[in-house]
Amino acid sequence: GTQIAPWKGAAGGSTEFSGAGGASRTTAAGPGSWVTATGRLPTSSNLPRVSVTNPSTWASASEGKNENAAATASMGATIRMAETNHTPGRAARHLRPYIGRVKLYFSPVAPNPTRVLLYLALKRGGGMEIPLEYAQVSMRDREHKSPEHLARNRFGRLPVLELDDGTHLTESRAIIGYFEELFPEPNLIGATPVERARVFEIERVAELGVLYPIGRIVHATRSPLGSPPNPTNAEFYRPRLEEALEVFEGWLSDGRPCLAGERPTIADCTMQAGLQFGRFGGVPLDPSFERLSAWDRSFRERPEVAAVLLA
């Protein structure tokens, strides 16, 4: 079976990983390409040989841990071996690839940054601490419209993820997708094609039907950014919010503990990000939505979630 663990050559040149056992050797070139070496590796002393010819190339693992294998770097390249929480012959879980220096720019309570913060919190709660820096940007002080931030996101929005190469991801779903590709456990998007489709569907309804209308209502009534009141706009979105909440109340009638099933997903993150902004801005969840209110209480009681929420 496939037996590789993730490494990255952090500088230029060729990085070679070798071990006893005569396992296969694979070479990859080009930024962001993934290496998969195949070969049966029954013991921890057998390590596939992987040559990484570009510093942005990754090697990915699916099972096994090779504690005794030697890793060598040539041509001035440096290497980093990811941590693995598994034993030889078992399926790999919680791989921690090296992603360099990564920084998340966010603003507390703002719904889209909160989606990402809750996603990262659920990862931590499941045993995966994603290594990154956090930088708070004050929207009240309009720091998101400063020249420094506009250089990161020309639209002056948050969140923004600054990658190791200095480029930026500026959409919350893109940021979550990036992390989910690199850190797939614990799974927060669904384990099968059907599960993922359902999660994406439910998360989209939470975004367009709850988070977005709540944001419009808050900014039309008591905007934290100083937007002028707009009662007409607020009344336009209230029935749309009500309709979406009724849909979720119906979905929860089957007894599921989380919005998309038995375990939390990005759908729960998006819904809670919207509801928090509503609590903050005077648009609380109507308690007549009993099932959704019960989900809300249960989700907020998670220690990792409570550590993120401010309202």
Side-chain angles (χ1 to χ4, degrees):
T2 302
Q3 296 249 1
I4 298 290
W7 299 278
K8 180 182 178 181
S14 173
T15 305
E16 182 175 289
F17 306 89
S18 60
S24 62
R25 174 172 178 162
T26 300
T27 301
S33 58
W34 286 80
V35 183
T36 300
T38 58
R40 198 154 186 81
L41 306 175
T43 69
S44 64
S45 62
N46 286 338
L47 179 69
R49 297 171 59 114
V50 181
S51 288
V52 181
T53 59
N54 183 284
S56 296
T57 301
W58 285 85
S60 172
S62 63
E63 63 181 34
K65 180 175 180 180
N66 301 281
E67 298 174 345
N68 302 324
T72 60
S74 60
M75 298 177 64
T78 59
I79 58 171
R80 295 179 184 268
M81 182 181 293
E83 299 176 31
T84 54
N85 297 336
H86 55 288
T87 57
R90 299 289 182 87
R93 297 185 61 197
H94 299 282
L95 301 176
R96 290 179 172 86
Y98 173 72
I99 58 175
R101 183 177 181 179
V102 177
K103 181 183 293 187
L104 180 68
Y105 294 87
F106 73 99
S107 183
V109 182
N112 283 311
T114 299
R115 294 165 74 177
V116 176
L117 293 174
L118 288 172
Y119 166 84
L120 294 169
L122 290 179
K123 285 290 187 183
R124 283 195 299 274
M128 174 55 70
E129 182 72 41
I130 298 177
L132 74 160
E133 301 175 29
Y134 293 84
Q136 186 170 325
V137 177
S138 173
M139 298 184 74
R140 286 184 181 273
D141 295 334
R142 297 190 61 79
E143 290 178 355
H144 60 304
K145 298 299 183 181
S146 68
E148 292 80 8
H149 188 70
L150 290 174
R152 294 186 284 264
N153 182 349
R154 63 184 297 178
F155 299 110
R157 297 171 185 162
L158 292 161
V160 171
L161 185 70
E162 185 172 271
L163 303 180
D164 189 50
D165 63 1
T167 61
H168 300 90
L169 296 176
T170 60
E171 293 291 335
S172 57
R173 281 292 282 111
I175 293 169
I176 289 171
Y178 168 78
F179 283 133
E180 193 69 14
E181 287 288 335
L182 290 172
F183 304 92
E185 296 291 341
N187 184 291
L188 296 179
I189 63 171
T192 69
V194 171
E195 283 185 9
R196 286 190 289 274
R198 293 299 183 197
V199 170
F200 294 155
E201 179 179 57
I202 293 170
E203 197 258 351
R204 186 65 167 162
V205 175
E207 178 183 30
L208 297 182
V210 179
L211 186 152
Y212 185 77
I214 285 177
R216 295 304 92 203
I217 295 168
V218 169
H219 284 294
T221 53
R222 42 186 294 186
S223 172
L225 301 183
S227 299
N230 189 334
T232 301
N233 205 32
E235 292 311 309
F236 175 82
Y237 282 104
R238 289 188 191 279
R240 285 153 179 79
L241 171 61
E242 185 94 359
E243 181 183 24
L245 294 175
E246 289 175 355
V247 169
F248 279 100
E249 187 74 3
W251 281 339
L252 290 169
S253 65
D254 62 7
R256 66 183 73 176
C258 298
L259 296 185
E262 295 300 316
R263 62 182 186 274
T265 66
I266 59 173
D268 300 89
C269 299
T270 296
M271 173 65 84
Q272 189 54 235
L275 294 182
Q276 174 183 238
F277 196 59
R279 293 190 296 271
F280 171 78
V283 189
L285 176 63
D286 188 331
S288 66
F289 295 104
E290 295 180 359
R291 300 185 190 98
L292 191 55
S293 295
W295 164 86
D296 178 47
R297 289 191 298 271
S298 176
F299 190 71
R300 290 162 63 186
E301 287 172 356
R302 291 173 173 268
E304 65 273 20
V305 171
V308 170
L309 298 177
L310 300 178

